[in-house]
Amino acid sequence: MNGRPAEVPVGQVRRELADRPARINAGLGRTRCGPAGAVIAALRAGLGLDDRVVELSVNHERRWMGIPLRFTAGTPSVCLPRLDTAEARQLVAADVKLRDAYEPLARLHIPARPSWKEKTAVTRTATRIATATQAVTVTSNTPVVTDWALRYFGPWWNATSTTADDGPQVIADVSPDRVTEIAQRVADHAHEETVYANTSMLFDRDDDGTVLASQPDDKLAYRAEPGGPLHVYGCEDVPVALAAARLAREVLRGQLVADGWSILHASAVVRDGQTVLTLGDKGAGKTTVGLLLARAGWQLLANDRVFIRREDDRLRVLPWPSAAAIGLGLLDALGWYDQVRDRVQHGEQLHPTQHQKVTDALHSGSRTPLWKDSGKELKPQFFPDQLHTWLGLTLATEGHATRVLFPRITPGAEPALLDEDRVVAAGDFFTAGTEDRYPDIFGLLPADLPGAEPLLELLGEIPRHAPVLGHDVKANTDFLTQVTGPTA
């Protein structure tokens, strides 16, 4: 097993198999059909010969579970039964037990040979992603990766299917052999370690500037040559798609920063091109304000950070595409919890970076906020397009800043404006030194970053307010609509 000898107790296995029918009969009293009959039933349903419900082990929400599938003309759909609280807890406990047993084994194994898919001829696909005057192309040997880029960037940036071009590229392939090769190369040489996208990354830089990196927990490997394309390899298509999207955004980030753009820690909404920026520390209410205004008819430009640049006497703003995190409590307060839970229970999936505890809470109907030991809240993670298709919000692709809010959430408070004269400061911007999620391992950022002084001067000249908000959604919405109105 994994290249190591393993003793198999053949006699014990034979006795167990011989005794199993009697134990099944004693426990259940009967079975629906034997193994051969179960295979035939599944085949007839999958081939469209019978329309029926079949219980099968399937990868549902990135978990392997035995669940009912309703087959109609050969097409399966998940039809989970309604579970009460006790049943939901039992399902979660069973899943945790299986996952805890499986994950240590899964980490040991990386396929040593190319898969059948790699041995056959494949058609490469490509997605071009563009914003402002910059662009990058993602190419892959599996369409899952490029389709993912289309979905992820399309609502906020301009993403289109294309053929590979001569511009900046992220080449993202499913290739277990390359993962093994690069991971071994990094491990065998002196290397550094950091955290990239919340996962440990080992990396090594050659004398010619080539960067090799490995993320063992995700079975991902990277290669970046100076002036060349950025390669990412993985053993499965979804992790490769996630990594490719992050890298494509980082490539564009480097291009935009080199073109004079800065990154501001803010949520943003747009109406008729005019943008309201909401700033503050974690928990201040940036996401809450953005979603309240978006529900009231504004277009959502960003959930957490934006690109911003001075152009003449105006501040142009672009979105930072990312999964949108909305806490369970806020989801419930805004009236979206039930519709989101219903979609999840019927087999639709949120962004895979979502913590499993959040998915379990949605299945069980829990609306109580969840927290890590570090104090960070665990939240449902929405694909950008799901903000529209699931929540009914309209997204914006750019705007120009006309107002700044510095909110504060105080339970029981009546919405009001505080007599505070806070201004946007240098600490509200992300820099290479303060970036906590995506350190510049691959040298994508320019050496000379634009200063924030010209932006701070112009941001100080536009209207700004410091609203205090309570927990009354309607009162908060009415107040924010008044504050951000044309005559405010």
Side-chain angles (χ1 to χ4, degrees), residues 225-419:
E225 298 179 13
L230 181 55
H231 295 262
V232 56
Y233 305 99
C235 298
E236 298 177 0
D237 48 19
V238 170
V240 174
L242 281 165
R246 285 193 296 263
L247 293 174
R249 187 178 57 200
E250 288 302 290
V251 171
L252 273 171
R253 172 192 173 199
Q255 295 174 358
L256 290 170
V257 170
D259 203 23
W261 293 85
S262 297
I263 303 173
L264 184 64
H265 193 185
S267 69
V269 293
V270 178
R271 185 167 59 193
D272 299 327
Q274 300 186 43
T275 303
V276 173
L277 300 172
T278 304
L279 289 85
D281 298 329
K282 291 184 182 297
K286 296 188 296 296
T287 297
T288 299
V289 170
L291 293 177
L292 287 173
L293 288 173
R295 288 172 78 249
W298 291 70
Q299 297 173 302
L300 186 65
L301 183 78
N303 184 55
D304 184 63
R305 55 176 83 182
V306 297
F307 288 97
I308 186 168
R309 183 174 77 169
R310 181 169 186 165
E311 296 185 355
D312 297 325
D313 61 344
R314 300 209 306 180
L315 289 168
R316 187 179 176 191
V317 184
L318 300 175
W320 168 281
S322 67
I326 305 175
L328 291 170
L330 180 57
L331 207 62
D332 187 31
L334 297 177
W336 290 330
Y337 182 93
D338 289 330
Q339 65 199 58
V340 170
R341 183 191 181 214
D342 187 64
R343 284 178 175 269
V344 170
Q345 285 193 310
H346 283 82
E348 296 186 64
Q349 298 182 26
L350 291 164
H351 196 272
T353 56
Q354 175 175 289
H355 198 284
Q356 187 60 47
K357 288 182 179 179
V358 176
T359 305
D360 296 339
L362 288 169
H363 276 293
S364 67
S366 173
R367 301 163 193 255
T368 304
L370 300 170
W371 304 89
K372 288 185 176 180
D373 293 339
S374 63
K376 182 178 180 181
E377 186 175 1
L378 297 172
K379 302 178 181 181
Q381 303 281 334
F382 292 84
F383 280 97
D385 65 307
Q386 289 174 330
L387 296 173
H388 174 67
T389 57
W390 288 32
L391 306 183
L393 305 180
T394 303
L395 307 185
T397 56
E398 69 172 274
H400 61 275
T402 56
R403 197 176 301 275
V404 178
L405 301 180
F406 298 98
R408 180 188 303 170
I409 306 293
T410 303
E414 293 291 329
L417 289 180
L418 300 174
D419 186 17

Side-chain angles (χ1 to χ4, degrees), residues 279 404 406 420-426 428 456 459-460 464:
L279 289 85
V404 178
F406 298 98
E420 295 181 358
D421 190 26
R422 164 146 185 211
V423 296
V424 181
D428 292 310
L456 294 175
L459 283 166
R464 56 187 183 273

Side-chain angles (χ1 to χ4, degrees), residues 440-472:
D440 188 26
I441 300 299
F442 305 108
L444 302 175
L445 292 179
D448 298 323
L449 301 181
E453 290 75 14
L455 299 174
L456 294 175
E457 179 183 353
L458 199 52
L459 283 166
E461 296 174 1
I462 64 178
R464 56 187 183 273
H465 308 285
V468 59
L469 305 173
H471 284 171
D472 186 321

Side-chain angles (χ1 to χ4, degrees), residues 126-131 136 146-162 252:
T127 294
R128 186 175 187 271
I129 305 151
T131 185
V136 63
T146 48
D147 289 346
W148 190 288
L150 273 173
R151 179 186 186 187
Y152 193 82
F153 292 105
W156 269 318
W157 286 353
N158 181 28
T160 55
S161 295
T162 184
L252 273 171

